[in-house]
Amino acid sequence: IEQQLLAWATKCGVGIRRNAVVAQLMQYEDEVVVQLADGELLRSAWVVGCDGAHSVVRRAAGMDFEGSPPGICHILAELRLREAPPW
């Protein structure tokens, strides 16, 4: 699933950075500038932070993470079945 999402995002022209640590985010009228921990600056029209409850991107945007304890648990797996499931 992750490979399929990555392929689709890449096809759409989305740049994905892995293992990049966001040090600072500055929002301007026509762009967002992200400074990484290594000093590199990235400029874009928008930024998506997918780094959980302690997201630097979310905090810089002024959004709280109120959250709540999960009511249910989900497991996602990629697997091959020897035969089709009964449903």
Side-chain angles (χ1 to χ4, degrees):
I1 292 173
E2 185 176 343
Q3 289 174 343
Q4 291 173 342
L5 289 173
L6 177 60
W8 178 66
T10 302
K11 182 179 177 181
C12 292
V14 175
I16 296 176
R17 301 293 294 261
R18 294 182 185 268
N19 301 316
V21 176
V22 176
Q24 188 176 9
L25 181 132
M26 289 111 2
Q27 184 172 351
Y28 300 103
E29 186 174 318
D30 59 344
E31 71 176 351
V32 179
V33 178
V34 176
Q35 181 178 6
L36 301 181
D38 66 5
E40 182 180 2
L41 294 177
L42 305 172
R43 299 177 185 283
S44 182
W46 48 268
V47 174
V48 176
C50 301
D51 48 350
H54 303 288
S55 170
V56 173
V57 174
R58 183 187 41 74
R59 283 197 308 259
M63 297 186 296
D64 291 331
F65 183 81
E66 297 177 13
S68 62
I72 58 175
C73 179
H74 297 277
I75 297 174
L76 176 64
E78 294 182 48
L79 52 104
R80 292 178 190 239
L81 299 174
R82 291 179 191 219
E83 55 188 63
W87 57 85

